[in-house]
Amino acid sequence: MRQTAQPEQRHHREFLSRWESMEPTLQKLYRSLYGEVGYTQFCDMLRLRWSARSDELLDLDRDRLEHPTWYQESSMIGMMLYVDNFSDTFAGMPARLDYLEELGVTYLHIMPVFDMPESLNDGGYAVSDFTSIDERFGTNEQFDTFICACHERNISVCLDFVLNHTSDEHAWAVKAREGDKRYASRYFIYQDRTLPDQYEQTVNEVFPVLAPGNFTYNAHMESWVLTTFNHYQWDLNYQNPDVFREMASALLQMANRGVDIFRFDAIPYIWKQWGTSCRNLPQVHTIIRMFRIILELVAPATIIKGEVVMAPQDVAPYFGTEQAPECHLLYNVTFMVELWNSLATRDTRMLSSLITDIPDNIPSGACWVNYARCHDDIGWGFSEDAARTIGFDPFQHKRFLIMFYLGAYPGSFSRGELYESDPKTLDARNCGTCASLCGLEKSLQDRDEYQMELAVKRIALLHAFCMAANGIPVIYSGDEIGQLNDYSYIYDMHKARDSRYLHRQKFDWAAASRRGDLSLPGSQVFRKIHRFITISKGQRFMGSSHRLSTLKTSDVGVICMLVRPRKLETAEMMVVLANFTEHQKQITIDTGGHPYMGEHTWTDLVQGKLIRFAEDPVIIGPYEILLLTVAS
Ligand code: GLC
């Protein structure tokens, strides 16, 4: 009896001590939005959720509090996948983990799996019940077993927390439709167009082509509902403290099932104030800050990854500050855009200027998530100033990228489709798998082995650059075996209008099982990515606690990126040289400001190749990437 009581008491003491130190700040933030309304109920909910935390998770909480940088290690390699595409249901997932372990994956982002409408569900981003697994993916028990299986292999599980909206089938929406005013006040519902019309004056549309307008008319209620995304995704009203409390409660319930990383979906949109752009408002930061505190308080083993698809200057503020942190992780969205831009233009200057602009002064626990592809489209949100600086007209340049990745620009190696293509503004985004956008599909169609080799090199370059560039690299499932676009989505009437399904296909297990056969391009991709992963693990210049800078090279096609420890004042570093063109290049680098670079012989971590910057020009092959360090 005593033996079991002791750890429990210790956990309780630790919780109380966290409560004492964090609650005053939480209360202050809460009051700034809601006054006193519902605060006691909110605190009761937090205590209740903590008391439901299992012993295993309480132990994990303690471990991670003792090793708070667990997610910043170079061993962190992420993958994102759809359960149904990868293994049909959760029942089959544990058996699939061998493959992920072989690749070196330690963080697995599972695309939305909670209850969702049958067909119109935005790939699961329209949630009908935050506590129940949709039966298409298996049972709640299978989900729990899967999480345990991941933890046994030291794989952290990341799940979406869709906080801006619910589906129109969520119990709250159903009650609102039935006329229950308490639930109607959890959304934005108007009987006439006065307020919706005012709103439309100042707020942009997210899907101007696929889902125009920010409001949807509901005939049953004879009212207009705010639906920023699709018509079946009803925006939640966070001005109502019940919404905040219940969403916080849902978050903690998910945390209590063992989720390690929450992907906070579409963060910038969650607070609405008429007369503003309704994006990135200060109250959004207050809410994220509160979510962070309640996780630190109740489930400190868990961390937050923010999805903030905004201009570069609007993204880093979501890390918060050292004293008032918000997200632990943020997608490095513009970095991804600049990788694709560099491939299309064979010019790394915009990538280089972005790397220089990535702020260094982020909180010590903050880190970027680097990726080449994900389940969404690529929106061309590059810095227009950076484009102008090098003489590109931003509009024309965007048009070039759109056409290039569609495969319609003369000489393009790419095969893709347009998304949200607006014939009025000529704006569009692009879809496609990494391999098809990198030229593998076209080269196979053309039976062009030379182009095929280049495509494989492009895919490897993008992934290796993500691994080298300070952050957690996340691979989109299928890209590691070079999967091509799947055009069959157009035969499904619920998907046909959404070209993002072009790259949301079934995982090709037959191709994966032939990964030892290096005559196949997909297997070559796997081998190269696997090799970079193996090298990056344990590498002190990989991981997430570094700062990046760039040096000018004699050729715009080749970037020179320096990776140095964020905190230590040392001359030691990793030098990354990457050629974003299909041509062999001879380059020189001005190492004037970095005598350390000139003085040493540098060894490429991948091939062992030796480089001396002080001597002859460096020769770098098509799409080659060199990860150079000085042997200690
Ligand atoms: C996020 C998701 C995207 C979804 C949107 C609306 O941006 O990544 O797939 O359509 O949120 O929930």
Side-chain angles (χ1 to χ4, degrees):
M1 190 65 198
R2 267 193 83 189
Q3 269 177 350
T4 56
Q6 269 179 351
E8 268 175 32
Q9 284 167 2
R10 220 166 94 202
H11 286 312
H12 194 223
R13 266 204 315 274
E14 285 163 3
F15 172 67
L16 290 181
S17 119
R18 290 201 296 275
W19 185 274
E20 236 167 71
S21 71
M22 296 178 187
E23 188 274 339
T25 312
L26 186 58
Q27 187 176 154
K28 207 163 126 215
L29 292 165
Y30 186 98
R31 276 199 185 149
S32 74
L33 296 185
Y34 306 119
E36 292 305 320
V37 184
Y39 188 65
T40 310
Q41 211 183 343
F42 171 64
C43 290
D44 289 346
M45 180 279 293
L46 296 182
R47 285 191 206 93
L48 186 74
R49 294 288 167 238
W50 179 79
S51 62
R53 207 147 163 81
S54 70
D55 288 346
E56 290 75 26
L57 290 174
L58 289 169
D59 288 343
L60 190 65
D61 287 340
R62 173 165 317 126
D63 278 359
R64 289 188 172 160
L65 284 169
E66 280 167 13
H67 304 105
T69 55
W70 63 273
Y71 56 90
Q72 289 179 303
E73 311 292 328
S74 61
S75 55
M76 261 324 228
I77 300 289
M79 168 153 294
M80 55 185 297
L81 55 79
Y82 286 92
V83 170
D84 49 349
N85 286 342
F86 195 66
S87 97
D88 289 334
T89 69
F90 277 113
M93 282 298 286
R96 301 296 198 193
L97 295 179
D98 282 348
Y99 170 79
L100 298 178
E101 207 170 37
E102 175 189 331
L103 191 61
V105 170
T106 53
Y107 141 178
L108 189 56
H109 174 197
I110 294 293
M111 300 305 289
V113 286
F114 287 104
D115 251 356
M116 62 184 87
E118 178 64 32
S119 45
L120 290 176
N121 54 44
D122 191 22
Y125 285 96
V127 180
S128 303
D129 182 348
F130 290 97
T131 59
S132 168
I133 299 299
D134 192 292
E135 58 185 23
R136 268 169 286 192
F137 302 101
T139 62
N140 282 298
E141 291 68 33
Q142 286 164 349
F143 171 77
D144 295 336
T145 307
F146 156 74
I147 297 221
C148 289
C150 287
H151 286 172
E152 273 163 22
R153 295 178 191 237
N154 284 325
I155 297 178
S156 313
V157 180
C158 170
L159 230 68
D160 280 272
F161 181 55
V162 185
L163 62 169
N164 181 66
H165 43 259
T166 71
S167 89
D168 58 358
E169 292 182 10
H170 189 285
W172 303 347
V174 173
K175 287 190 182 135
R177 253 198 314 276
E178 285 164 357
D180 188 326
K181 291 209 167 52
R182 273 182 319 141
Y183 287 92
S185 69
R186 294 184 178 197
Y187 299 97
F188 297 90
I189 300 174
Y190 303 99
Q191 276 159 358
D192 65 52
R193 285 286 316 182
T194 316
L195 284 169
D197 284 344
Q198 280 173 15
Y199 187 92
E200 297 288 10
Q201 297 295 312
T202 57
V203 185
N204 289 336
E205 295 155 307
V206 178
F207 296 141
V209 180
L210 292 176
N214 283 303
F215 290 82
T216 301
Y217 186 69
N218 185 284
H220 184 82
M221 294 189 292
E222 296 182 355
S223 297
W224 295 88
V225 184
L226 179 61
T227 54
T228 300
F229 291 86
N230 290 294
H231 66 84
Y232 49 85
Q233 289 165 305
W234 290 17
D235 284 62
L236 285 168
N237 179 1
Y238 277 87
Q239 290 180 21
N240 180 339
D242 291 344
V243 167
F244 175 65
R245 187 192 61 251
E246 298 249 9
M247 291 303 282
S249 170
L251 176 73
L252 293 174
Q253 274 175 284
M254 285 158 126
N256 282 352
R257 293 179 80 164
V259 174
D260 303 274
I261 303 169
F262 287 104
R263 176 189 180 275
F264 277 26
D265 181 61
I267 293 182
Y269 305 85
I270 61 175
W271 191 273
K272 278 83 179 177
Q273 196 166 302
W274 264 241
T276 74
S277 68
C278 292
R279 307 284 191 262
N280 307 311
L281 296 180
Q283 293 88 341
V284 175
H285 291 276
T286 306
I287 289 180
I288 302 305
R289 183 84 195 97
M290 286 201 284
F291 279 134
R292 166 96 180 223
I293 296 175
I294 65 171
L295 285 177
E296 285 181 346
L297 189 56
V298 178
T302 55
I303 60 169
I304 302 171
K305 173 174 66 165
E307 190 223 15
V308 179
V309 182
M310 291 281 144
Q313 69 278 10
D314 292 328
V315 179
Y318 284 92
F319 280 131
T321 61
E322 196 72 47
Q323 291 71 36
E326 296 176 28
C327 298
H328 302 76
L329 319 178
L330 284 172
Y331 285 103
N332 210 348
V333 189
T334 314
F335 176 79
M336 177 274 293
V337 169
E338 293 299 355
L339 290 177
W340 291 103
N341 180 33
S342 304
L343 276 188
T345 54
R346 282 79 162 173
D347 184 331
T348 60
R349 283 178 294 171
M350 284 170 70
L351 174 60
S352 176
S353 104
L354 173 88
I355 289 172
T356 314
D357 287 349
I358 291 177
D360 274 344
N361 57 345
I362 58 176
S364 48
C367 74
W368 295 101
V369 169
N370 295 326
Y371 62 111
R373 286 297 291 117
C374 71
H375 67 297
D376 281 332
D377 50 287
I378 305 174
W380 300 109
F382 52 79
S383 152
E384 300 201 346
D385 286 342
R388 279 191 207 97
T389 306
I390 60 171
F392 292 172
D393 171 76
F395 176 79
Q396 293 300 341
H397 188 54
K398 202 176 200 188
R399 285 299 300 157
F400 159 71
L401 291 169
I402 292 166
M403 298 313 276
F404 187 91
Y405 285 109
L406 174 64
Y409 192 85
S412 164
F413 48 71
S414 194
R415 285 283 177 273
E417 286 189 354
L418 300 184
Y419 179 69
E420 274 291 326
S421 171
D422 187 338
K424 287 197 291 266
T425 60
L426 296 184
D427 197 9
R429 315 177 201 170
N430 290 74
C431 289
T433 67
C434 186
S436 289
L437 295 176
C438 278
L440 191 57
E441 185 174 326
K442 180 172 177 343
S443 67
L444 289 168
Q445 272 162 4
D446 294 350
R447 295 170 191 263
D448 185 332
E449 287 190 19
Y450 177 65
Q451 286 298 327
M452 195 194 79
E453 272 176 37
L454 293 179
V456 169
K457 284 181 195 288
R458 285 184 197 108
I459 303 166
L461 168 64
L462 293 186
H463 284 87
F465 206 80
C466 286
M467 283 175 219
N470 185 43
I472 301 177
V474 176
I475 302 167
Y476 183 57
S477 173
D479 287 347
E480 81 284 9
I481 51 164
Q483 270 192 247
L484 304 180
N485 292 338
D486 177 359
Y487 297 90
S488 67
Y489 76 97
I490 53 162
Y491 302 112
D492 180 332
M493 62 182 272
H494 298 298
K495 295 181 177 160
R497 292 182 66 230
D498 189 340
S499 55
R500 293 177 301 176
Y501 286 97
L502 181 66
H503 53 256
R504 294 178 180 176
Q505 72 277 60
K506 287 264 173 222
F507 184 72
D508 187 349
W509 280 106
S513 69
R514 293 192 296 268
R515 59 191 177 275
D517 178 355
L518 292 181
S519 65
L520 302 168
S523 309
Q524 293 165 15
V525 171
F526 184 91
R527 199 182 86 135
K528 282 178 189 282
I529 291 180
H530 184 245
R531 196 159 168 214
F532 281 116
I533 290 176
T534 313
I535 287 161
S536 71
K537 292 208 179 225
Q539 233 310 311
R540 65 197 177 103
F541 293 109
M542 308 283 217
S544 311
S545 46
H546 300 99
R547 60 200 152 105
L548 304 178
S549 55
T550 56
L551 285 183
K552 203 163 174 239
T553 72
S554 57
D555 191 303
V556 296
V558 179
I559 189 166
C560 175
M561 176 171 76
L562 311 183
V563 184
R564 278 174 290 175
R566 209 190 283 172
K567 286 202 196 113
L568 301 178
E569 275 314 318
T570 159
E572 287 180 61
M573 59 179 144
M574 175 167 76
V575 177
V576 180
L577 276 188
N579 180 356
F580 278 78
T581 80
E582 55 272 73
H583 307 294
Q584 177 179 296
K585 299 281 183 175
Q586 271 201 18
I587 54 141
T588 50
I589 299 161
D590 179 9
T591 59
H594 296 275
Y596 182 81
M597 264 179 89
E599 284 160 15
H600 291 85
T601 300
W602 295 76
T603 311
D604 172 35
L605 291 171
V606 186
Q607 310 157 70
K609 206 161 154 176
L610 298 179
I611 304 283
R612 283 193 64 84
F613 291 107
E615 291 165 9
D616 299 329
V618 179
I619 297 183
I620 181 161
Y623 301 115
E624 189 174 18
I625 176 165
L626 301 173
L627 309 175
L628 301 163
T629 59
V630 173
S632 48

